[in-house]
Amino acid sequence: MPMFRQVARPHLVELARHARVQHVRRGATVCRRGETLNCFFGVAYGLLKLALRANGGEEKVLRLVGAGETFGEALVFRERPNPLEAVALADTMLVVFPSQAVISLLEHDLNFARGLLASLSERMHDLVSEVEASTLLSARQRVAAYLESLAAENANGRARLPATKTVIAARLGVTKETFSRLLRELANQGLIEVEKRDILLRNRAGLAAVAQGALHA
């Protein structure tokens, strides 16, 4: 996990004494909105969704959290109710870091403090980008930009949807039907090729143009 990479080994050993491992099955709720947690979580393997849910059952997926990532860090500093619901999308192993042990590490290891601040700063920038996308970009642009981001680290232009189309659609603020339709439109334009959850970007420049609003159907 990035925030621990530069932490002195003795400090890591001390944190490990207080941390615990939690195994959760696919579909299980890790934490609910309104709960007081007094900890934050790291994902050893698996996948979770962090979501808001309306009274009518509608869901907004704010983030997908995979191996090596963390969530809930901000709750360490203020005892406030957890604002999100975390649900496992696959069998998952979590590492649970108690607040008191984390605060002690902050006081004794400057590298950890820097790593934690970097993680929270990145999260803030991601949130700004999410607000910008949901308010200023069309659904078509959001889908194109998301596919680009999935394939960003893969030179051959291949990507795999990390979750079901229903979850991804909720993450992008569209219905599953709209998401499927937009994938078909992009495929018909020759920009991508879709096989279940596997996506091949056939024309990355064209897809980037769609994400920027410069290319229409």
Side-chain angles (χ1 to χ4, degrees):
M1 298 178 188
M3 72 173 66
F4 297 112
R5 285 177 184 164
Q6 302 301 320
V7 176
R9 184 171 179 79
H11 295 159
L12 280 181
V13 171
E14 181 61 22
L15 179 62
R17 288 182 59 246
H18 298 280
R20 62 183 174 86
V21 169
Q22 180 180 348
H23 293 272
V24 291
R25 305 289 287 180
R26 177 181 178 182
T29 299
V30 174
C31 54
R32 291 180 170 80
R33 181 182 175 93
E35 289 182 338
T36 300
L37 297 179
N38 297 317
C39 66
F40 79 91
F41 302 88
V43 181
Y45 64 76
L47 184 70
L48 299 100
K49 64 177 178 181
L50 305 183
L52 294 169
R53 190 178 298 278
N55 291 333
E58 293 184 7
E59 179 181 73
K60 169 59 178 175
V61 177
L62 296 182
R63 186 179 163 215
L64 298 177
V65 188
E69 297 183 294
T70 56
F71 65 97
E73 300 96 315
L75 298 178
V76 167
F77 303 102
R78 297 189 66 184
E79 291 188 6
R80 301 182 62 180
N82 173 41
L84 303 172
E85 176 183 79
V87 178
L89 299 177
D91 290 349
T92 299
M93 188 176 91
L94 299 170
V95 182
V96 184
F97 302 101
S99 297
Q100 284 304 117
V102 173
I103 291 172
S104 177
L105 182 57
L106 280 170
E107 293 172 347
H108 293 92
D109 197 304
L110 181 59
N111 286 326
F112 174 69
R114 288 171 175 162
L116 182 58
L117 284 172
S119 177
L120 292 174
S121 296
E122 183 177 355
R123 204 72 45 76
M124 183 194 70
H125 285 293
D126 289 344
L127 180 60
V128 171
S129 297
E130 172 70 18
V131 172
E132 179 184 34
S134 62
T135 55
L136 301 179
L137 302 183
S138 67
R140 193 164 184 269
Q141 287 175 284
R142 295 200 298 274
V143 169
Y146 180 72
L147 295 179
E148 265 200 302
S149 70
L150 288 181
E153 298 181 0
N154 199 333
N156 64 12
R158 292 188 176 275
R160 181 172 175 81
L161 297 180
T164 65
K165 288 183 179 180
T166 300
V167 171
I168 300 300
R171 171 72 179 82
L172 297 175
V174 299
T175 64
K176 178 185 176 182
E177 292 73 20
T178 297
F179 182 55
S180 296
R181 175 178 58 78
L182 290 171
L183 288 179
R184 288 195 301 271
E185 289 180 2
L186 294 172
N188 290 338
Q189 285 185 274
L191 301 177
I192 64 172
E193 188 175 308
V194 182
E195 185 176 349
K196 296 182 179 179
R197 285 167 59 175
D198 293 314
I199 311 289
L200 172 63
L201 276 60
R202 301 186 64 85
N203 184 344
R204 299 186 77 156
L207 195 66
V210 172
Q212 296 166 11
L215 182 64
H216 303 281

